[in-house]
Amino acid sequence: MPSTFHSIETAKRSLFTQTAALNTTGHNIANANTEGYTRQTVKMRASIPMEAYGINRSNVPGQLGTGVEFDAIERIREKFLDSQYRGENTELGSWTIRSNTLDKLQQIMNEPSDTGIRKVLDNFYKSWSDLSKDPESVTARTIVKENALALTDAMNHMSKQLSNLSTDLTSNVEAKSSELQSYVNSIADLNQSITKIEGLGDNANDLRDQRDLIVDKISKIVNVTVTDTDQGYNVNMGGQALVTGFAPTTGINGAFLQAAFASNDLQGGEVHGMIISRDQFVADYTAQMDNLANTLANGDISVTLPKGSVLPEGTVLNGVTYTGTNRTLQSDLTVTVKGLNGLHQLGYTQEGKDANGNMVAGKPFFVASNNGGTITAGNITLNTAIVDNPNAIAASLRVTGTAPTEELVKGNNTLASLMSNLKLNNFTSVSTGNKATIDSFFSSMVGQLGIEAQEATRQTQNSTALVSQVETMRQSVSGVSLDEEMSNMIKFQHAYSAAARFMTTFDQLLDKLINSTGVVGR
């Protein structure tokens, strides 16, 4: 048999449960714009009815209910969508960094434009063409010198920008490693706190939200997989553990992430994009620029020296040493020389005669600023002898007489013309052996960069769309809908009001029973 106060107890349970539901609804509304917050709901159920089956069960018909109670406040979360989101977020992180890096490389290359390397090269060749029209002009020689300096400065500057970009990427890897270490430590701490709270029988919903948000952020930095265990999340990057229960991995730094990349544990995320950008994109274009500079200076080119040209004493071409009267070519001669430097050394300057009475031959036009090292885009510079004296520029291939009465043929422009025509000559790449004009080498580099940048942009856009799609699906499950919460609030409010009215009604009934029964006839 139910007690006299059974209905009061039923109303009380209802009031407590609806209050919890209203409080949870208010919590949801308050956190509608909180990053990483997951909608919560009160799990209601009918309390144990009267009477339970047993030997002393009464014969009163029906099983009388005892009201409502709640056994948990739960998050509405879909683990499958979390896993999908993190996978797509990892791809987005990597492609975003790659796309940004390639955009920066395009800015460094600055092509097509009126201020890029191609324009400087055109000006350099044009200055040789102008010199061929007036080979004795000091002004024309000075213009050649200045355009050569402009070319080397442009290459030096581009090389420095590439080096700075590489350094920035390395610094960013270190910065991201520190961020990752902080997140890993936080997850281990949260694992411990969640385990303690849930060991008492409650759901640590808000702490779980914080932990999931941190994992989401980690997924943007590196690829992660998550396993939920009795001691919380185990977080792994490929085969590398980042968090195991309460124990975070320590010593996460740039070297740690570089080793993970080398072992193929690091397969995505911003750090992956940074390492790819630095070690592939920036390193490749740095190498191509170095090759361009060295090829211009020393790459094999085939030129035809016209009949009547006089080669400097002791010149060796095609295995033949030219000396004495043999120096004068009796017919056109096609030879292979070592780039612009090799061609320049076949001509004569306006510096006068050497110690043997021969006209001074041209010197290497471009040199390495580190005194004899391999020419690169970073160290290529104009020979200081030419910088100090534009008359050291060779423009002629003709002399008259023999030492010590040898004299330069004034106005001869043979070498200057050959130099101006190098724009159309095929150079043999120093590093690859491929043959093309310098402009073609540079154009192919710019074209490659454009295609890679376009592909990275496409992949970034695709990844952004996928992340947005999965996040929309997550929000449809876990996000707070203010309209829905307002509807729930009204529903729980009405239920609370009805339960209060129910309690008031039985209070009045009990008052009548207790205070009015047995007073007849008084």
Side-chain angles (χ1 to χ4, degrees):
M1 285 288 294
S3 73
T4 304
F5 295 96
H6 166 76
S7 296
I8 294 292
E9 185 66 25
T10 298
K12 184 191 76 172
R13 290 194 185 97
S14 178
L15 290 172
F16 286 170
T17 300
Q18 302 307 324
T19 298
L22 278 168
N23 287 336
T24 301
T25 300
H27 186 52
N28 287 341
I29 292 172
N31 288 280
N33 297 315
T34 300
E35 183 184 14
Y37 180 78
T38 302
R39 178 167 60 93
Q40 298 177 16
T41 185
V42 175
K43 303 300 292 184
M44 301 181 189
R45 67 177 182 182
S47 55
I48 298 175
M50 296 179 65
E51 295 175 62
Y53 179 79
I55 191 171
N56 293 322
R57 181 176 182 273
S58 72
N59 293 321
V60 176
Q63 190 178 45
L64 186 62
T66 59
V68 66
E69 63 184 4
F70 67 97
D71 56 4
I73 299 176
E74 296 181 347
R75 300 188 306 159
I76 307 300
R77 190 96 180 187
E78 179 58 63
K79 291 184 177 180
F80 173 71
L81 292 177
D82 286 340
S83 178
Q84 271 196 324
Y85 175 84
R86 289 162 187 161
E88 298 300 341
N89 202 32
T90 296
E91 287 298 308
L92 175 60
S94 179
W95 281 112
T96 298
I97 295 296
R98 283 188 261 184
S99 179
N100 290 341
T101 301
L102 288 165
D103 285 343
K104 291 177 183 177
L105 285 170
Q106 285 186 309
Q107 293 299 317
I108 291 172
M109 292 294 177
N110 195 25
E111 294 292 347
S113 74
D114 292 331
T115 57
I117 290 287
R118 184 181 284 108
K119 181 64 175 180
V120 179
L121 273 169
D122 287 343
N123 291 339
F124 176 67
Y125 290 129
K126 184 177 183 298
S127 66
W128 278 105
S129 178
D130 292 341
L131 178 60
S132 70
K133 298 172 184 175
D134 189 3
E136 295 183 90
S137 169
V138 175
T139 300
R141 289 170 178 273
T142 301
I143 292 174
V144 170
K145 181 194 79 170
E146 293 301 330
N147 277 293
L149 287 172
L151 177 59
T152 58
D153 287 347
M155 289 186 173
N156 295 162
H157 181 63
M158 184 177 293
S159 179
K160 183 178 180 181
Q161 287 180 302
L162 291 171
S163 178
N164 289 342
L165 180 55
S166 180
T167 301
D168 288 345
L169 288 168
T170 299
S171 298
N172 288 340
V173 170
E174 289 291 343
K176 285 297 178 182
S177 69
S178 298
E179 186 178 351
L180 179 60
Q181 182 71 75
S182 175
Y183 287 152
V184 164
N185 293 342
S186 296
I187 289 177
D189 291 341
L190 285 168
N191 279 344
Q192 194 166 17
S193 298
I194 290 169
T195 301
K196 287 180 180 179
I197 291 173
E198 295 189 346
L200 301 176
D202 295 324
N203 291 329
N205 294 322
D206 294 325
L207 293 182
R208 281 182 171 268
D209 283 347
Q210 293 178 30
R211 186 175 62 181
D212 282 326
L213 177 60
I214 292 174
V215 175
D216 288 348
K217 290 181 177 180
I218 289 178
S219 71
K220 188 73 175 290
I221 300 173
V222 297
N223 53 289
V224 290
T225 54
V226 178
T227 305
D228 200 353
T229 69
D230 293 338
Q231 289 191 325
Y233 280 178
N234 287 347
V235 181
N236 295 299
M237 176 179 62
Q240 176 69 53
L242 297 179
V243 182
T244 304
F246 307 153
T249 294
T250 58
I252 297 177
N253 53 27
F256 174 89
L257 295 174
Q258 185 68 51
F261 179 83
S263 64
N264 208 33
D265 287 325
L266 177 58
Q267 298 180 342
E270 292 176 330
V271 174
H272 178 265
M274 290 171 187
I275 295 176
I276 289 283
S277 296
R278 182 193 64 194
D279 295 348
Q280 292 187 20
F281 297 147
V282 178
D284 178 41
Y285 289 109
T286 298
Q288 288 194 57
M289 280 304 302
D290 289 344
N291 177 60
L292 182 73
N294 198 17
T295 298
L296 175 64
N298 299 312
D300 287 348
I301 52 174
S302 178
V303 295
T304 299
L305 305 178
K307 177 182 177 181
S309 298
V310 181
L311 301 177
E313 179 67 29
T315 299
V316 178
L317 292 173
N318 296 345
V320 177
T321 301
Y322 293 85
T323 183
T325 57
N326 189 39
R327 293 164 53 198
T328 302
L329 301 182
Q330 302 303 312
S331 60
D332 291 350
L333 176 65
T334 300
V335 295
T336 299
V337 295
K338 294 295 182 180
L340 192 146
N341 281 352
L343 181 57
H344 190 256
Q345 292 176 82
L346 296 182
Y348 300 96
T349 71
Q350 293 193 147
E351 295 178 290
K353 300 179 182 180
D354 60 20
N356 297 320
N358 293 310
M359 296 304 299
V360 176
K363 303 170 182 63
F365 197 81
F366 293 118
V367 295
S369 58
N370 53 355
N371 298 322
T374 301
I375 288 178
T376 66
N379 66 27
I380 188 172
T381 186
L382 185 60
N383 194 316
T384 54
I386 298 174
V387 175
D388 295 338
N389 182 13
N391 283 327
I393 296 174
S396 172
L397 278 177
R398 296 288 184 93
V399 294
T400 58
T402 57
T405 60
E406 187 173 88
E407 295 292 338
L408 184 69
V409 175
K410 293 183 178 181
N412 181 263
N413 66 351
T414 307
L415 185 61
S417 296
L418 290 173
M419 284 288 192
S420 66
N421 289 330
L422 287 182
K423 178 180 175 66
L424 306 176
N425 276 56
N426 285 332
F427 287 69
T428 300
S429 169
V430 173
S431 62
T432 66
N434 295 331
K435 292 185 177 181
T437 65
I438 294 297
D439 279 355
S440 295
F441 280 127
F442 187 70
S443 294
S444 67
M445 182 166 40
V446 173
Q448 176 189 338
L449 176 57
I451 292 172
E452 288 178 339
Q454 186 180 40
E455 173 64 10
T457 300
R458 185 185 69 83
Q459 292 283 13
T460 301
Q461 291 172 344
N462 288 347
S463 294
T464 300
L466 288 172
V467 168
S468 178
Q469 181 184 37
V470 176
E471 178 61 11
T472 299
M473 295 171 65
R474 278 212 309 181
Q475 288 301 315
S476 69
V477 175
S478 304
V480 175
S481 168
L482 291 178
D483 290 340
E484 182 179 352
E485 297 302 326
M486 291 295 290
S487 175
N488 287 339
M489 185 169 62
I490 294 172
K491 179 174 66 176
F492 298 141
Q493 178 190 13
H494 283 205
Y496 184 93
S497 298
R501 181 61 183 165
F502 175 63
M503 177 175 283
T504 300
T505 299
F506 265 87
D507 177 62
Q508 291 175 351
L509 290 175
L510 291 173
D511 176 67
K512 189 68 175 178
L513 176 66
I514 294 170
N515 295 318
S516 300
T517 302
V519 297
V520 177
R522 287 185 184 179

